[in-house]
Coordinates of all heavy atoms in Angstrom, one line a residue:
T28 N 0.8 -1.2 0.0 CA 0.0 0.0 0.0 C 0.9 1.3 0.0 O 0.3 2.4 0.0 CB -0.9 0.0 1.2 OG1 -0.1 0.0 2.4 CG2 -1.9 -1.1 1.2
A29 N 2.2 1.1 0.0 CA 3.0 2.3 0.0 C 2.8 3.2 -1.2 O 2.7 2.6 -2.3 CB 4.5 1.8 0.1
N30 N 2.7 4.4 -1.0 CA 2.4 5.4 -2.1 C 3.8 5.7 -2.8 O 4.4 6.8 -2.5 CB 1.7 6.6 -1.6 CG 1.3 7.5 -2.7 OD1 1.6 7.4 -3.8 ND2 0.4 8.5 -2.3
V31 N 4.3 4.8 -3.6 CA 5.6 5.0 -4.2 C 5.6 6.2 -5.1 O 6.7 6.9 -5.3 CB 6.1 3.8 -4.9 CG1 6.2 2.6 -4.0 CG2 5.1 3.4 -6.0
E32 N 4.4 6.6 -5.7 CA 4.4 7.8 -6.6 C 4.7 9.0 -5.8 O 5.4 9.9 -6.3 CB 3.0 7.9 -7.2 CG 2.7 6.8 -8.2 CD 3.7 6.9 -9.4 OE1 4.1 8.0 -9.8 OE2 4.0 5.8 -9.8
R33 N 4.3 9.1 -4.5 CA 4.6 10.2 -3.7 C 6.1 10.3 -3.4 O 6.7 11.4 -3.4 CB 3.9 10.1 -2.4 CG 4.1 11.2 -1.4 CD 3.3 11.0 -0.1 NE 3.6 11.9 0.9 CZ 3.1 11.9 2.2 NH1 2.4 10.9 2.5 NH2 3.4 12.8 3.0
Y34 N 6.7 9.1 -3.2 CA 8.2 9.1 -3.0 C 8.9 9.6 -4.3 O 9.8 10.4 -4.2 CB 8.6 7.7 -2.7 CG 10.2 7.5 -2.7 CD1 10.9 8.1 -1.7 CD2 10.8 6.8 -3.7 CE1 12.3 7.9 -1.7 CE2 12.2 6.7 -3.8 CZ 12.9 7.2 -2.8 OH 14.3 7.1 -2.8
L35 N 8.5 9.1 -5.5 CA 9.1 9.5 -6.7 C 8.9 11.0 -7.0 O 9.8 11.6 -7.5 CB 8.6 8.7 -7.9 CG 8.9 7.2 -7.8 CD1 8.2 6.4 -9.0 CD2 10.4 6.9 -7.9
Q36 N 7.8 11.5 -6.6 CA 7.5 12.9 -6.8 C 8.5 13.8 -5.9 O 9.0 14.8 -6.3 CB 6.1 13.3 -6.4 CG 5.1 12.8 -7.5 CD 3.7 13.0 -7.0 OE1 3.4 13.5 -5.9 NE2 2.7 12.5 -7.8
S37 N 8.8 13.2 -4.7 CA 9.7 13.9 -3.8 C 11.1 14.0 -4.4 O 11.8 14.9 -4.2 CB 9.8 13.3 -2.4 OG 10.4 12.0 -2.5
L38 N 11.5 12.9 -5.1 CA 12.8 12.9 -5.8 C 12.8 13.9 -6.9 O 13.8 14.6 -7.1 CB 13.1 11.5 -6.4 CG 13.3 10.4 -5.4 CD1 13.6 9.1 -6.2 CD2 14.4 10.7 -4.4
E39 N 11.7 14.1 -7.6 CA 11.6 15.1 -8.7 C 11.8 16.5 -8.2 O 12.5 17.3 -8.8 CB 10.3 14.9 -9.5 CG 10.2 13.6 -10.3 CD 8.8 13.5 -10.9 OE1 8.0 14.4 -10.8 OE2 8.6 12.4 -11.6
V40 N 11.2 16.7 -7.0 CA 11.3 18.0 -6.4 C 12.8 18.3 -6.0 O 13.3 19.4 -6.3 CB 10.4 18.2 -5.2 CG1 10.7 19.5 -4.4 CG2 9.0 18.1 -5.6
E41 N 13.4 17.3 -5.5 CA 14.8 17.4 -5.1 C 15.7 17.7 -6.3 O 16.6 18.5 -6.2 CB 15.3 16.1 -4.4 CG 14.7 15.9 -3.0 CD 15.2 14.6 -2.4 OE1 15.9 13.8 -3.1 OE2 14.8 14.3 -1.2
E42 N 15.4 17.0 -7.4 CA 16.3 17.2 -8.6 C 16.2 18.6 -9.2 O 17.0 19.0 -9.9 CB 15.8 16.1 -9.7 CG 16.2 14.7 -9.3 CD 17.7 14.5 -9.2 OE1 18.4 15.1 -10.0 OE2 18.1 13.7 -8.4
T43 N 15.1 19.3 -8.9 CA 14.9 20.7 -9.4 C 15.8 21.7 -8.7 O 15.9 22.8 -9.1 CB 13.5 21.1 -9.4 OG1 13.0 21.2 -8.0 CG2 12.6 20.2 -10.2
V44 N 16.2 21.3 -7.5 CA 17.1 22.2 -6.7 C 18.5 21.7 -6.6 O 18.7 20.6 -6.1 CB 16.5 22.3 -5.2 CG1 17.3 23.4 -4.4 CG2 15.0 22.7 -5.3
E45 N 19.4 22.5 -7.1 CA 20.8 22.0 -7.3 C 21.4 21.4 -6.1 O 22.0 20.3 -6.1 CB 21.6 23.2 -7.8 CG 23.1 22.8 -8.1 CD 23.3 21.9 -9.2 OE1 22.5 21.9 -10.2 OE2 24.3 21.1 -9.2
E46 N 21.2 22.2 -4.9 CA 21.9 21.7 -3.7 C 21.2 20.5 -3.1 O 21.8 19.8 -2.2 CB 21.9 22.8 -2.7 CG 20.5 23.3 -2.2 CD 20.1 24.6 -3.0 OE1 20.6 24.7 -4.2 OE2 19.3 25.4 -2.5
N47 N 20.0 20.1 -3.6 CA 19.4 18.9 -3.0 C 19.7 17.6 -3.8 O 19.4 16.5 -3.4 CB 17.9 19.1 -3.1 CG 17.4 20.1 -2.0 OD1 18.1 20.4 -1.1 ND2 16.2 20.5 -2.1
R48 N 20.3 17.8 -5.0 CA 20.5 16.6 -5.8 C 21.4 15.5 -5.1 O 21.3 14.3 -5.4 CB 21.2 17.0 -7.1 CG 20.2 17.8 -8.0 CD 20.8 18.2 -9.3 NE 19.9 19.0 -10.1 CZ 20.2 19.6 -11.3 NH1 21.4 19.4 -11.8 NH2 19.3 20.3 -11.9
K49 N 22.3 16.0 -4.2 CA 23.2 15.0 -3.6 C 22.5 14.4 -2.3 O 23.1 13.6 -1.7 CB 24.5 15.7 -3.2 CG 25.3 16.2 -4.4 CD 26.6 16.8 -4.0 CE 27.4 17.2 -5.2 NZ 28.7 17.8 -4.8
D50 N 21.3 14.9 -2.0 CA 20.7 14.4 -0.7 C 19.5 13.6 -1.0 O 18.4 13.7 -0.3 CB 20.3 15.7 0.1 CG 21.5 16.5 0.5 OD1 22.6 16.0 0.5 OD2 21.3 17.7 0.8
R51 N 19.6 12.7 -2.0 CA 18.4 11.8 -2.3 C 18.0 10.9 -1.0 O 18.9 10.3 -0.4 CB 18.8 10.9 -3.4 CG 19.0 11.6 -4.8 CD 19.2 10.6 -5.9 NE 19.5 11.2 -7.1 CZ 20.8 11.3 -7.6 NH1 21.8 10.8 -6.9 NH2 21.0 11.9 -8.8
L52 N 16.8 10.9 -0.7 CA 16.3 10.2 0.4 C 16.2 8.7 0.0 O 15.6 8.3 -1.0 CB 14.9 10.6 0.8 CG 14.2 9.9 1.9 CD1 14.9 10.2 3.2 CD2 12.7 10.3 2.0
P53 N 16.9 7.8 0.7 CA 16.9 6.4 0.4 C 15.4 5.9 0.5 O 14.7 6.3 1.4 CB 17.8 5.7 1.5 CG 18.7 6.8 1.9 CD 17.8 8.1 1.9
F54 N 15.0 5.0 -0.4 CA 13.6 4.5 -0.4 C 13.4 3.7 0.9 O 12.3 3.8 1.5 CB 13.4 3.7 -1.6 CG 12.0 3.1 -1.6 CD1 10.9 4.0 -1.8 CD2 11.7 1.8 -1.4 CE1 9.6 3.5 -1.8 CE2 10.4 1.3 -1.5 CZ 9.3 2.1 -1.6
L55 N 14.4 3.0 1.4 CA 14.2 2.2 2.6 C 13.9 3.1 3.8 O 13.0 2.8 4.6 CB 15.5 1.4 2.9 CG 15.4 0.5 4.2 CD1 14.3 -0.5 4.1 CD2 16.8 -0.2 4.4
K56 N 14.6 4.2 3.9 CA 14.3 5.2 4.9 C 12.9 5.8 4.8 O 12.2 5.9 5.8 CB 15.4 6.3 4.9 CG 15.3 7.3 6.0 CD 16.4 8.3 6.0 CE 16.3 9.3 7.1 NZ 17.5 10.2 7.1
W57 N 12.6 6.1 3.6 CA 11.2 6.7 3.3 C 10.2 5.6 3.7 O 9.1 6.0 4.3 CB 11.1 7.1 1.9 CG 9.8 7.7 1.5 CD1 9.4 9.0 1.6 CD2 8.6 7.0 1.1 NE1 8.1 9.1 1.2 CE2 7.6 7.9 0.9 CE3 8.4 5.6 0.8 CZ2 6.3 7.5 0.5 CZ3 7.1 5.2 0.4 CH2 6.1 6.2 0.2
L58 N 10.4 4.4 3.3 CA 9.4 3.3 3.5 C 9.2 3.1 5.0 O 8.0 3.0 5.4 CB 9.9 2.0 2.8 CG 9.0 0.8 2.8 CD1 7.8 1.1 1.9 CD2 9.7 -0.4 2.3
I59 N 10.2 3.0 5.8 CA 10.1 2.8 7.2 C 9.3 3.9 7.9 O 8.6 3.8 8.8 CB 11.4 2.5 7.8 CG1 12.0 1.2 7.3 CG2 11.4 2.5 9.4 CD1 13.4 1.0 7.7
G60 N 9.6 5.2 7.4 CA 8.9 6.3 8.0 C 7.5 6.7 7.5 O 6.8 7.5 8.1
N61 N 7.1 6.0 6.4 CA 5.8 6.4 5.8 C 4.8 5.2 5.6 O 3.7 5.5 5.1 CB 6.0 7.0 4.4 CG 6.7 8.4 4.5 OD1 6.0 9.4 4.7 ND2 8.0 8.4 4.5

């Protein structure tokens, strides 16, 4: 039931900001927290 689309959208937001590109949230960390 994990909303993986929401996770992928968060990556897209990160990619639009130069300083965030290096700080990709691991999916495992996101999964455990969401």
Side-chain angles (χ1 to χ4, degrees):
T28 59
N30 190 346
V31 295
E32 291 301 323
R33 182 180 174 188
Y34 170 72
L35 295 175
Q36 288 170 5
S37 71
L38 294 181
E39 291 176 2
V40 172
E41 289 176 357
E42 290 294 328
T43 63
V44 183
E45 180 68 28
E46 60 266 27
N47 286 345
R48 290 181 184 174
K49 294 182 178 180
D50 299 337
R51 297 186 184 99
L52 179 66
F54 181 67
L55 178 60
K56 183 176 182 178
W57 180 90
L58 188 66
I59 292 172
N61 288 274

